Structures are given as C-alpha cells and as structure tokens.
Amino acid sequence: MQYDVAVIGAGVCGAMITREMSKLDLKVILLEKCNDVAMGTSKANSAIVHAGFDAEPGTLKAKLNVQGASLMAYYCNKLHVPYKNIGSLVVAYSWDDMKTLDELFERGFANGVPNMDIISQERLREMEPYISEEAVGALWAPTAGIVSPYELTIACVENAVLNGARVRRNSGVFDIEYKDGLFSLSTASGVVKAKYVINCAGVFADQIAKMIGDTSFRIIPRKGEYYLLDKSEQKMVSHVLFHCPSKMGKGILVTPTVHGNVLMGPTAIDLDFDSKLDLDTTIEGLNIVKEDVKTVIPALSTRNCITSFAGLRAHIDSEHADFLIAPSKANEHFINVAGIESPGLTAAPAIARYVANIFKEIAPQYPRKEQFRTDRPAPIHVNELTDEERRTLVEKDKRYGRIICRCEGVTEGEIIDAIKAPCGARDVDGVKRRTRAGMGRCQGGFCGSKVVEILARELGEDMNQITKFGNESRILYNRTK
Amino acid sequence: MQKYDLVVIGGGPAGMAAALKAKECGVKKIIILERAATLGGILEQCIHAGFGLHYFGEELTGPEYAHRFIEQVEQTDIEVKVDTMVLEIRNGNIVVATNAVDGMLELHATAIILAMGCRERPRGALDIPGSRASGIMTAGTAQKYVNIDGYMPGKKIVILGSGDIGLIMARRMTLEGAKVEMVCELMPFSGGLQRNIVQCLEDMGIPLKLSCTVIQTHGIERLEGVTIANVDENRRPIPGTEQYVECDTLLLSVGLIPENELTRMAGIIIDPVTNGAVVDENRQTSRPGIFACGNVLQVHDLVDYVTAESQIAGEGAAAYIRNKPKGRNRYVSVKGRDGVRYVVPQNINENTDKDVKLYFRVADVFRNARIIVESDGKVLYNKKKPKLAPGEMEYVVIKADDIRALEKKELVVRLEVQQ
C-alpha cells in the first residue's frame, strides 16, 4: 500500500500531526512500534500544561509553548480529554529565589504569557494551605494547567482514524530506502511506501533520521522518575507547584492530576545513547523525589503512594537544545520533529500546526478535505454521570451496571468501548489508560484478571495470549494440570 | 426507594454470618449486596483445606466453608443481590449501589453492616525500584488465575512476603509444577501462621529467607529476575548482600488492607493501626446503626474468627433495629500497650451485660510473655503464654461484671516480658 505521508511514532506529537494531516486530501499512515499508541514519553511525563515562562525568548520552545497552552482547552474540549486549567506556582524559598521569579516573569512577558503575577507569602498560603513554612512567595501563572497526556494522544489518534488516517501498531521502522521520490519503510509488519515522512520517534528520532543519512543530531534519553499518590492526598495540593528552575530543567514538581491523584517528580538523569529502553525506577531517583517534596509540602507522605514510574525525555545533545522541527537536510521530504522534551506536551497542538505549515510549503499539491470531523465521540465514564444519567444508561445497556474495577468504578461497558474504539485497546495497560481500570489503589489486584478475561473474549483470543503491553509481556502461561 | 431493616454490604463469610445471625435474632427484611458473581467472597478461590477447625470442629476447604453458609442463607428469606457494587452510603443510611439488572439502586436501611473484606497491598505501595515488566502480581491475583481461571501465571517464582496467601501459593504453584525459588520476608519473623510455614514451605522444600527483601526487578517486557538483599534491624538493605535471582514471576504477599473506602466516605472514625473502623463490643462504628465485621474491620488469619466476630455484629445490629436507641453511648475505652499493637473492640459500653472478648495482635515474637489486662492499676487478667507472634490473633475474655465495676473508664491490654 502506498501512502502520501507516513508519520513515525504515535506519541502525542505523532498523533497530533497525523490528525493535522487527516485534514488534507491525502493518504496518511501512523506507524508505531509498540502494541498501543502513547507508549513512550507521552505516557510517562508530568502531565502539565506549562504557561510558557521557562524557555528562552525567541526559541521554538517559547513560541510553541505559549501557543500550545492557549490551544489546549479547545483541543481537550473537542476531543473529550480531561484537562483542568488550575494554574501554576513557582515557589520561592529565599530572596535569591524571588529574584529568579522576577527573571521568570520578564521571560514570560517576553514570551507572551498572559496574566502572570508575583504573589506574597500570605496569598500563597491561602492558595496552598499545606505549603512549606519556608516559602516566601511565588510566581502565579493562571494559564497553566494539567491534562491527561495519554488520553490526549489516544483521542487524537481516534479522531484522525475517523477522518481516514490509518494506524499500524507493532510496526517499528528498522530501515528506510529512498528511490524515485518514494520512501520504502521496512517495518516489523512489512514494507510501507510513502512520499513524505514525518519523524516523531521521540527518544529514537535520531536513529530514524540516521536511516536516511541524517546524522545532524543525537537524542539523549533523560530519565525522570515519579511517584503517584492515592486520591486520599488530593487536598494537599491544588495547583502545579514548581521549584525555582535549574540547568537540568524545571526541577521536581508536585501537582494534582486530572483524575484527582497527586503526582510528584521528575528527577533528571542523562542516560547513555543506547539506554533508550531503560525505564527502571531506582532507589536513588525515588529518594530524591521523596526528599525534595518534603521541602515543598512537608506533610505530603509517600506512604500513600500507589505507584512509581520513570519516563524518558528526548533531549537533543547540545548546549541550548531547542525543538528541532524542520525538513531534514538529507532529504527535504523527510521532516524531523525531534528533541520534543518539556514543554513538548503543552506545545504539541502548536507543533502539529507548525508542521502542517512546513508540509504545505514542501507539498502544496494537497488541498484541504471538504469534510473534516473536529471531534470524537465522548467516551462514557460512568462514575462521572449523575444517578439519573447512570440509570438511563444501564437501562439501555446492562454492561454499564457491572463494575469491574472497584477502585475507580469502571464498568464492563466502558472496557468493551475501549477495546472496540477506533485504534482500541489490545492489552491490559491499554484498557487501563483508556478507562482507568487498574489505575486505582489496588493497582489491578482485583480487576486485572477480569480485564484479561474481557480482552480475551472481545478479541477472540485465549486468556494466555493477552499481554500487559504487547510483545513478550504475556501475563499467563500454560493451563493448570 | 426500597426499605430494609438491614443492608449487609459484602457476601463473604463475614456478611453471610452477620446476616444469618441477624435473621436468627428476628430481623425481618435483610438484603446482602455482593460485588462478585457469587456469595462466598475470597473463600471461593481458597481451595486448600484448613478452614473451620475452630467453628465446625472439622477441616474444610474455603469453598466448603463458604457453602455451609450459602446453603443456610438460601434457606432463609434473606435477599441476595450479586454482581452489585455499593457506591456510597448517604446520610440517613441510604445505600446507593449499581448492577446490571437494576441499574441504580437506592436502599434505605435502619441498620447497615459493613463486610467488604480487604485487599492486598500492591507493588506500588512497596516502592520496589526497577522495571514495569509483566509477571509481578499479588499472591491473591495469582491464586485466582490458578484456582478459578485455570492458568499458570509463571514457571519460576520468587515470593516476597510470608503472609498466609503467599505461603499457600508457594505450595499451590509447586504442586502445579512451577519452581518456587524462595520466599523472602523483610521482617525477622513470618507474618503467616506457623502451620502454613510447616505445611507450605518446609514440607515442600522451599527456603524462607528472613530479614531479606527484593530491592530491584529486572526485565523489560516479562520479568527476568529480581535482586534480593538482606536487611539490617532498621529494615534497610545491607550493601554487599545483593544477590540476583532468575525468575519470571514475583508474587507479593506483603500485607492486607481493609477496604474502607465506603466507611471513610460515610465519615466513620477509622483506627489508624487496624485501618478498620473504631467499634464497640457490638461492632457498632462511630455512626449509630452502622456496624462492621470481618476483614474490613481488622485483618484476621482464621475465617473461624471472622464468623464469630460477624455474629456479634449481626446480633448487635438486630438489637439496634429492635430498640432504636437514642442518645450517646458511654464507653470504656480499650487500648493496647507494651507490645500489643491494637485491640478490637476499641470501646465497650460501660453497662454491658455480656462478657467481652478482646481480640488483639502483638508487634513482635514474644516467648513466655504475660498478657495483662488492667484498669487504673487494677489487674483483671494475667496469664502467661509460651509464644505470641504477630501472625496469630489472640484474645482474652473480660467479664461483664468486671467491666461494669470499673471506676476509670479505661482498659489496657499489655504484655509483660520475662527477662
């Protein structure tokens, strides 16, 4: 099958860009090496919509951050993705820190961040009653927020599929040939031909670029470790709380999540170029997070931790690393979208539009489609419904009355929806990210086996074929004696 | 809205025993709400023997023990709704539930018995660093896969934690042909029953490594191994003792947590040690008319004790429904000290007319310690026990006359260790 555009990598950027491409009258395919979309950085990050005062003025990071932040509400509303515009606070603990806040304010102003304010200790305490006694003030950025990054990715992919895009999972690209104006991409699921390629391969973007002879950049996987706390801690923090920034990034933050948990992290450790699969959490890393958070909210306890995890930032190996979004010098029909580290999630909607503009310049022959569907059907989340709505729903379909995940109140109906959706879930983690089944305090202890059973039934497979996240991550072996 | 005298939340051994006792005491309209597809609770997957030695005087399997109660429930007019999840207890004792048949249910109850059981502590709560490979699960999840679904979750197993489910699964997996490499226990003693250590580990030739824990998991997709290490007296890994153990499965049996989300939502006071409600000798919680029993109140090691406790709750709820008492109860408070981690019940009505069994657990292994119950220096009970262990629940009986005669409204259960 021949395509006009092949997008490599179904993270949030690949998904957003595929969605933009599906607005045009062309054939687009999204290639993903894993068993699901949003399996890399897009599933393990801080889930923050940054206001945009961190990046150096004039950089792509600065421009696309501010644009992305202002687009996020629109996208999340259209695509039915959890998003909360809760605002962020950069907390200062000393007068030196307060000076840094002034610098951040100026930088934010230069970047076009609206409505910032430097607030007093009293005001800070009103906004965050559990904040450390040591805190002396903060930079308040009301345009910041929180979003569910994997749901955003999944939603964009679903929307793109509804608009005619194709998605192929388990299709990691291992070789690219270019001949007669056509790329031949050798993937784990066969050869895909396309006239244009957009490289959104995250931490692997350098390896993909190398396949066409582009060695102009290298990506360092920069690991960040996190703790996720139980919903019982949600009263402890109401806004995104940052430390004053350091060279390695924005430091460790504490934030509510859109689902009512508390997230704390990340660390920032540069790994070797060849450690791009290393998602191990470490004692050292987790201890850093634990100790650091005590300085922000001393009463916050990791005793109520429900899980810890690590993610990799795609950091370009250079002193002033900016997003690299441009046609490759090796082949101008190949667009690199690389080095998308923080604020990449926030910027993603703007990155997609930016790439669409680049694409229009190099490929002006594709007109816009007459019909483009901007939304996707809203997924049903039963525990967000009123009693009456719930009653009506269960009368229509009994499966919405059968609770499978007791911690998060997820029903069988929702799990089946997640499996049947365009680009639906094929594994246990996929069901978890779409429905939250298994994401609560028991971490799938009770519902895990039921989810395996439902997946097996709906996909027409045996229970022991069902995986946690594809490939060799099978959960069950042989039958008992 | 439907009206009931008694709504029992949970149809495991606790819920069934409580409902049956309430029925026996004359309560008319009773309903049991159970989230699983059948009554019986976790007993349904406990196919090993060892249940009922105290209560029935014979050795039964889990399902057999459960079925004795299920049959009794079936012979009464107690209503049962399975596949039904309670979502909330609203003010005025209104129980909101959902299921596939009725959609949303709103039940008004004169009294409620909480019998939701407990869940296993998951990996996240343990904070074991490493990968997120498949093959890491709680022992209870593995038990369901093996005993209910009929699948093996692994071939080469390491078990972390020597709780009873872990011990039982060590034997079960071995009998099914898996190789159980070892059971690692963080503490210098096992949290499981002595009989399980003998029958499930020693008889199977499975090593129990005390003061040892898993410090890292390895493997990107499927678990490939774990690193274990010995721990010091502060339970911190000792550098230099690390050892890599190849395995494809790590089972966790590291503690049980009473499932008190509904209880907390209802604003009921929780004991920070038991993680269950604070109750009086009738197992009434801080909210009048709401009772709690079984593993949701305190984690038991023997189902026989769950049954006994639940009968107390059933009887208490029946008396509440009959008398509709008004006004505040006056309590004698009960506390554990000097090696006694907690005592249930935490309160006793000062004018109780029944003798009260105080159930408790100790914090460490003690030999030849004296159990002493006293109030303001006056000793009500003093008896020596050859061995006390955290894994075995203990009880002492205090006479109703003695409780009524107390001047200071406080009872202390403590240990006196002989040097």
Side-chain angles (χ1 to χ4, degrees), chain A residues 280, chain B residues 123 129-134 136 215-228 243-245 247:
Chain A
D280 283 10
Chain B
R123 182 235 178 120
S131 66
R132 293 292 167 275
S134 74
I136 304 170
I215 58 165
Q216 195 168 4
T217 58
H218 305 273
I220 289 171
E221 289 172 349
R222 178 75 195 194
L223 189 71
E224 288 164 11
V226 296
T227 303
I228 62 167
Q243 189 192 334
Y244 180 82
V245 184
C247 61

Side-chain angles (χ1 to χ4, degrees), chain A residues 60-61 64 316 321-325 338-344 347 351:
Chain A
L60 264 185
K61 276 185 182 171
L64 298 175
I316 285 193
D322 198 2
F323 294 156
L324 168 59
I325 308 172
I340 313 298
E341 59 187 331
S342 180
I351 290 173

